[in-house]
């Protein structure tokens, strides 16, 4: 077989794998949206059956040899295929020495950890979770030991699994700047006398009108309804199942229409990314090679830079007043803008955090997991105490219970090194916002409702190479600069200084 | 391997086949409900991939031999397993001589026929469809020629595929009685001076309130929401995906709330059947062995015998008035009852037909397909003319176009012998209604909202052995009698004589 034939044989296998993945995504979407409670167990078994078919292919000698052989000649490939082979080869190498038994053991441990965490959280009792967390960390390190290529430390390796070519030194520098700038800013806001009106946000907004509002918002931001859909789930998410199938979900609360509003814009951002990647990406099986940081930068761009701007509020205010004439009769445009940007300095949950404090929530997790992964002497029984101290020091928040503290997130039941990616999306998008704003008048386009022109810029500069380049190369390709949180810091400092009259 | 080991090996394969079937049902449900338009093609390809995996199993020597070997010893099995093996053996035998190439040719022809029909219907031009219909009929006969066991005529064989052990002589006798009783009755109604009020049925009923009404109706009739769900599609359907997963769909029209109301009750009837079959049925892989006639008897029982009764209207009238206070302010309970039972003797569509004329629509199709299947000299170019003549003769309806005539139904693009099953459901349920009514006071239970007690009777007498017995055995098991349309004829004659004061 020559190289071309090998590629074509590999692509056949990838086609099948992608169909299995599509089926699994649909089953997962179905389970989360419509499947009745008692039907879920059987549906999960169906899922496991399809997953095992996919697993068999990726573990077959045939497949592994193809990837290895092509990898040996990767420099002859076009950039798309080269990136694909690098990704597949890394995946194969990382897993090759993991026996099916160890793989199963790790999967089981992680699902045990999930159940232990869930119970511990319900009882707000971190002590019950600590030993399992320690076991999980050991298991993750054991799996890393089996890799042919590792980074300097365990935590560096873990970081790279989620944001390629990123290391502790990158995040240390990044978070230091964030901390130096935002912690004092938050203190000032705590002392500010400005009181923002939020009473109207808790009024009752009928669910079916919120549904109508969701569709309006999706249209305004440019979600393509021919290539996507919306449904409801407990926790909103986006899933790009296939080239022409990007779905979002939301959750409606009668007494919190803002929650749905920003879920819809955020998830639409993710979907717009999926709907607008170029054909080359899909043709070359590269649709899943973006990092979380890159993806979140886009969803937050639509959610915050667009959706929480004065201009956007100006754009949608008439429709909101029309839909909710009763609830918003005494609310001005300015009050609405301030309301959606208010900071609540008493609430300890990351998922409920505002644009400003969000990065600090992530910073705390970063500092803690770096420590408990890389320090072999780490005392897991003290993690909740350390957590609470940092919340008090950085945010002035007194965490009242483990449930609202160290146990609030599910992530540590499964993986480590993922949290920091939550923070860099805002830094990426602040950088490309500034670049974009040199070329087109972003805020004026928002105000005029011409978000399609902003998305056109995003297609050309942000979406086009996202799956092709590593994040560091990518942000340089867009802006000509290396990742720097300063753009975000400047933007957020200005915005909140104005809002809280600092 | 002894018999027990063979059964256990077969059951393993059936477990896998059922998981594939579950996946295909979910994909199909997804395609019909939420999948965006441009995403459907890829989703269909995923479906085809899973279908091919299932096909491979049922065509494997391993599987075929197992079924054959167990079939040779079937008399040693318990009744559930014996029924299962008979079903599987018949299926294998019917298909064994059909080569994969011929199978593919037939599948392609059928999908071509669908497209030709769709286009012909759009243009209301039967001539364009006639040659394809003729080809389809030839192909179906060719496939029957390859079977080891055939009935006396092609049409008898086709009939038996949908309602086992039924023959032309059964349906001839059945439809003759229906014709003799209902055709004169319909003529009398045409001449009746009674005018039923239907204006309020065309008023605007907000969709979100109709959604609320659907949920209320499902609760009233006893649909178990923990084991089922509701969604929307162009054409309502029910799918029991798995033991604990029976889903229905509906379609909302702002100016026709009755359409949704009876779709929901009808489909809930199907789902209640699936939700209440005994565990033995699922444990023995018999969940798909009911016939269409048996299944429709139940859905129509809930839809018509319960849902269109005076007592049911009395039960739900207060809720309807509460939900639609504006639209129904001037409508009495009696007017509502008459409205949902009105006969429109100008409308030519089976799917829109009322309880009375429905069987005549089916009778016409039965007479025609019996003729064009079994008469080797049949002139397909004349089918539309024959159709229109029968509509005029039996229903007094002048069909204005092929679109509303011979091309209205999709079924003839794929199979023949299916239509008559649409008519016998009402006859079955009229028979078991009378039996039930000897034991419990059905109408009084409906009026009191105790439909669960009716469903309890259905569980014990109707659902319990439906998958285990052939339809003729089954109706005898329930009522002690053989299928006879007289119960239905009496019921419908009384009901409509009262409504139209004949």
């Amino acid at each position: 077989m020559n190289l071309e034939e090998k590629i074509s044989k590999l692509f056949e296998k990838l086609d099948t794998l992608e169909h299995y993945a599509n089926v699994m995504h649909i089953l997962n979407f179905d389970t989360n949206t419509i499947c009745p409670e008692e039907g879920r167990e059987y549906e999960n078994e169906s899922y496991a059956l399809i997953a095992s078919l996919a697993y068999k292919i990726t573990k077959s000698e045939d497949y592994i040899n193809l990837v290895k052989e092509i990898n040996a000649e990767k420099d002859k490939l076009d950039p798309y295929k080269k990136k694909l082979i690098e990704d597949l080869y890394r995946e194969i190498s990382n897993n090759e020495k993991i026996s099916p038994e160890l793989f199963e053991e790790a999967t089981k441990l992680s699902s045990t950890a999930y159940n232990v965490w869930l119970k511990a959280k319900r009882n707000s009792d971190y002590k019950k979770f600590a030993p399992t967390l320690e076991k999980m960390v050991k298991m993750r390190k054991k799996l890393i030991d089996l890799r042919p290529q590792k980074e300097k430390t365990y935590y560096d390796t873990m970081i790279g699994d989620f944001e390629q070519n990123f290391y502790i030194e990158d995040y240390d520098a990044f978070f230091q700047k964030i901390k130096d700038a935002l912690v004092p800013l938050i203190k000032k806001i705590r002392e500010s006398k400005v009181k923002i009106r939020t009473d109207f946000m808790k009024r009752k907004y009928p669910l079916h009108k919120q549904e109508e509002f969701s569709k309006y918002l999706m249209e305004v931001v440019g979600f393509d309804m021919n290539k996507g859909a919306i449904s409801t789930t407990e926790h909103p998410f986006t899933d790009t199942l296939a080239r022409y199938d990007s779905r979002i979900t939301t959750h409606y609360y009668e007494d919190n229409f803002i929650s749905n509003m920003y879920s819809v814009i955020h998830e639409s951002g993710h979907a717009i990314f999926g709907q607008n990647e170029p054909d080359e990406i899909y043709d070359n099986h590269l649709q899943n090679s973006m990092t979380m940081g890159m993806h979140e930068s886009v969803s937050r761009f639509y959610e915050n830079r667009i959706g929480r701007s004065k201009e956007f509020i100006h754009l949608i205010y008439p429709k909101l007043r029309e839909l909710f004439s009763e609830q918003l009769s005494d609310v001005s445009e300015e009050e609405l803008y301030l309301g959606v940007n208010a900071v609540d300095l008493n609430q300890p949950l990351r998922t409920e955090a505002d644009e400003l404090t969000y990065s600090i929530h992530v910073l705390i997790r970063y500092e803690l997991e770096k420590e408990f992964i890389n320090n072999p002497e780490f005392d897991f029984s003290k993690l909740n105490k350390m957590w609470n101290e940092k919340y008090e020091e950085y945010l002035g928040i007194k965490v009242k219970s483990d449930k609202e503290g160290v146990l609030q997130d599910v992530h540590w039941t499964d993986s480590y090194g993922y949290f920091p990616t939550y923070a860099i999306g805002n830094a990426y998008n602040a950088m490309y916002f500034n670049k974009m704003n040199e070329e087109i008048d972003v805020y004026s386009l928002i105000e005029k409702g011409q978000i399609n022109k902003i998305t056109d810029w995003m297609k050309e500069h942000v979406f086009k190479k996202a799956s092709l380049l590593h994040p560091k190369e990518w942000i340089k390709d867009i802006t000509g600069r290396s990742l720097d949180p300063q753009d975000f810091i400047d933007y957020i400092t200005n915005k909140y200084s104005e809002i809280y009259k600092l």
Side-chain angles (χ1 to χ4, degrees), chain A:
Chain A
M1 261 194 300
N2 63 29
L3 184 58
E4 207 174 303
E5 286 162 346
K6 283 178 190 166
I7 289 280
S8 133
K9 209 176 152 199
L10 176 67
F11 271 35
E12 255 177 53
K13 288 181 195 294
L14 293 175
D15 277 336
T16 305
L17 282 171
E18 266 160 32
H19 272 298
Y20 287 148
N22 185 42
V23 170
M24 289 190 276
H25 281 283
I26 293 168
L27 294 178
N28 184 52
F29 190 84
D30 188 275
T31 303
N32 280 294
T33 54
I34 184 110
C35 183
E37 194 169 325
E38 294 190 30
R40 281 180 207 147
E41 192 181 324
Y42 193 75
E43 190 153 325
N44 288 342
E45 288 171 23
S46 295
Y47 182 98
L49 175 64
I50 306 299
S52 74
L53 297 175
Y55 184 76
K56 250 181 236 162
I57 295 180
T58 58
K59 283 290 175 184
S60 69
E61 229 176 293
D62 214 25
Y63 173 83
I64 291 176
N65 288 341
L66 262 176
V67 173
K68 283 183 177 174
E69 288 170 25
I70 299 170
N71 187 61
E73 297 182 83
K74 70 179 175 186
D75 290 333
K76 294 182 196 154
L77 300 171
D78 69 44
Y80 293 101
K81 293 187 179 60
K82 190 175 172 194
K83 174 68 159 52
L84 171 70
I85 284 296
E86 282 171 353
D87 287 351
L88 297 179
Y89 183 74
R90 193 176 50 249
E91 197 188 318
I92 282 177
S93 312
N94 286 345
N95 296 321
E96 200 166 13
K97 286 196 182 151
I98 300 172
S99 68
E101 294 73 30
L102 183 60
F103 178 78
E104 210 190 314
E105 195 191 329
T107 310
K108 271 190 192 155
L109 180 58
S110 169
S111 104
T112 307
Y114 175 82
N115 292 324
V116 173
W117 164 78
L118 203 62
K119 218 177 146 193
K121 184 177 173 183
R122 273 188 203 132
N123 299 322
S124 200
D125 184 1
Y126 168 73
K127 264 188 241 96
K128 288 275 174 359
F129 180 57
T132 307
L133 176 59
E134 192 166 358
K135 265 188 224 161
M136 271 299 299
V137 168
K138 267 190 194 146
M139 173 57 88
R140 288 287 169 248
K141 289 181 178 179
K142 191 171 171 182
L143 295 176
I144 288 176
D145 286 335
L146 291 168
R147 294 189 184 184
Q149 268 199 307
K150 294 171 274 277
E151 304 302 338
K152 212 162 57 184
T153 74
Y154 285 116
Y155 195 55
D156 281 294
T157 305
M158 290 171 177
I159 285 175
D161 284 348
F162 296 107
E163 202 74 7
Q164 226 186 317
N165 293 353
F166 267 71
Y167 303 95
I168 291 176
E169 59 178 30
D170 297 302
Y171 281 132
D172 275 351
F174 177 86
F175 279 117
Q176 193 59 52
K177 277 197 181 181
I178 295 275
K179 192 151 107 179
D180 290 347
L182 301 197
V183 168
L185 183 64
I186 291 165
K187 285 215 172 74
K188 276 193 222 160
I189 289 179
R190 194 173 274 283
E191 287 150 15
S192 158
K193 295 224 170 74
V194 172
K195 287 281 163 277
I196 293 178
R197 207 188 142 189
T198 54
D199 61 305
F200 60 89
M201 291 160 73
K202 289 157 204 146
R203 290 173 184 166
K204 287 200 166 182
Y205 294 74
L207 301 188
H208 70 276
K209 292 220 172 170
Q210 290 198 48
E211 283 177 25
E212 205 182 324
F213 185 46
S214 297
K215 285 192 180 140
Y216 164 76
L217 285 172
M218 289 162 80
E219 201 188 310
V220 165
V221 299
F223 182 103
D224 183 347
M225 285 303 273
N226 291 318
K227 297 183 188 170
I230 180 168
S231 188
T232 56
T233 49
E234 183 60 31
H235 301 286
F237 66 82
T238 305
D239 194 352
T240 289
L241 291 81
R243 192 185 304 217
Y244 304 117
D245 193 349
S246 291
R247 305 179 188 180
I248 69 169
T249 71
T250 185
H251 191 111
Y252 297 104
Y253 301 95
E254 209 177 26
D255 60 354
N256 187 354
F257 82 104
I258 293 295
S259 166
N260 166 63
M261 172 172 170
Y262 285 102
S263 285
V264 164
I265 304 176
H266 180 94
E267 305 304 339
S268 290
H270 279 301
I272 286 168
F273 200 165
Q275 289 177 338
N276 288 288
E277 277 206 286
D279 277 342
E280 289 88 339
I281 297 303
Y282 286 100
D283 291 342
N284 289 288
H285 306 280
L286 280 168
Q287 61 271 34
N288 296 317
S289 35
M290 262 173 286
T291 70
M292 158 79 188
M294 294 158 101
H295 230 299
E296 283 291 294
S297 82
V298 173
S299 53
R300 285 190 194 161
F301 177 81
Y302 284 88
E303 178 193 352
N304 293 326
R305 296 307 302 249
I306 295 181
R308 284 196 162 87
S309 68
K310 269 186 195 160
E311 293 74 11
F312 189 76
I313 298 298
H314 178 73
L315 172 68
I316 66 164
Y317 182 73
K319 180 71 182 182
L320 260 174
R321 279 292 297 262
E322 180 197 318
L323 275 172
F324 305 110
S325 51
E326 212 179 293
Q327 293 84 351
L328 293 173
S329 62
D330 60 342
V331 180
S332 72
E333 198 179 304
E334 172 75 5
E335 284 171 321
L336 181 61
Y337 166 71
L338 293 173
V340 304
N341 283 292
V343 174
D344 175 1
L345 282 177
N346 293 308
Q347 91 77 22
L349 302 176
R350 177 185 58 85
T351 53
E352 301 290 314
D354 54 87
E355 204 182 343
L356 172 64
T357 56
Y358 193 86
S359 308
I360 305 298
H361 285 268
V362 178
L363 153 71
I364 291 169
R365 289 153 180 75
Y366 168 71
E367 290 185 347
L368 291 173
E369 71 177 12
K370 183 174 67 170
E371 179 71 12
F372 74 65
I373 296 292
N374 273 353
N375 173 2
E377 310 295 321
F378 187 80
D379 180 355
F380 281 84
S381 72
K382 301 222 166 93
L383 187 62
N384 54 343
K385 210 173 145 258
M386 293 167 72
W387 175 288
N388 296 351
E389 283 165 6
K390 284 186 193 283
Y391 262 80
E392 176 129 27
E393 185 187 345
Y394 301 160
L395 289 164
I397 292 174
K398 282 197 205 339
V399 175
K400 287 190 201 106
S401 67
D402 291 342
K403 188 178 176 155
E404 296 200 321
V406 67
L407 293 174
Q408 69 175 263
D409 291 307
V410 63
H411 306 56
W412 283 341
T413 66
D414 187 50
S415 59
Y416 315 94
Y418 183 86
F419 273 121
T421 65
Y422 276 131
I424 59 171
N426 288 328
Y428 287 139
N429 76 35
M431 288 176 70
Y432 57 68
F433 180 95
N434 288 340
K435 175 75 180 171
M436 179 192 305
N437 210 32
E438 288 168 13
E439 297 174 17
I440 56 178
D441 187 349
V442 186
Y443 286 128
S444 140
L445 290 172
I446 297 174
E447 192 161 9
K448 286 188 276 184
Q450 298 181 345
I451 294 172
N452 60 326
K453 293 201 176 149
I454 298 172
T455 299
D456 284 343
W457 193 96
M458 295 287 279
K459 267 198 241 184
E460 188 54 32
H461 298 88
V462 176
F463 303 158
K464 198 170 177 181
K465 298 190 199 159
S467 293
L468 187 63
L469 301 176
H470 301 157
K472 285 182 174 178
E473 298 165 347
W474 169 74
I475 194 65
K476 193 142 204 172
D477 183 78
I478 304 171
T479 64
R481 299 160 53 211
S482 298
L483 175 65
D484 184 346
Q486 198 56 50
D487 300 57
F488 171 66
I489 291 168
D490 291 345
Y491 151 73
I492 205 86
T493 306
N494 287 337
K495 179 172 177 176
Y496 279 94
S497 298
E498 196 193 308
I499 291 175
Y500 283 95
K501 306 199 192 312
L502 306 180

